[in-house]
Amino acid sequence: EFLASGSSDCNLKVWDIRRKQCITTYKGHKGAINAVCFSPDGQVLFANLQSPINPTFAIRGPWPKA
């Protein structure tokens, strides 16, 4: 029910696909976001940055309701 997106503007967004809207935006990353994926249970979001200092990080849900 959720989709994650990352981009060269260094923002990571979580979307509610049923409502077709962004439910949260994580800002302030130090590099473009190259890849995102949820854990199999959907509770953790992993992202890979174009950054040599901290290239991978995780954010734990639950995700907010839209």
Side-chain angles (χ1 to χ4, degrees):
E1 297 162 20
F2 297 106
L3 173 83
S5 66
S7 66
S8 61
D9 68 1
C10 305
N11 291 330
L12 174 65
K13 296 185 178 196
V14 177
W15 302 81
D16 181 323
I17 57 175
R18 288 186 182 178
R19 295 179 187 228
K20 300 179 183 176
Q21 62 185 9
C22 178
I23 57 173
T24 192
T25 301
Y26 298 95
K27 299 180 179 185
H29 303 293
K30 301 297 183 196
I33 298 171
N34 297 325
V36 294
C37 70
F38 285 100
S39 62
D41 66 3
Q43 294 302 305
V44 181
L45 174 60
F46 297 93
N48 180 265
L49 300 177
Q50 188 174 348
S51 167
I53 297 170
N54 188 14
T56 304
F57 68 93
I59 301 169
R60 182 165 295 280
W63 313 110
K65 302 290 184 215

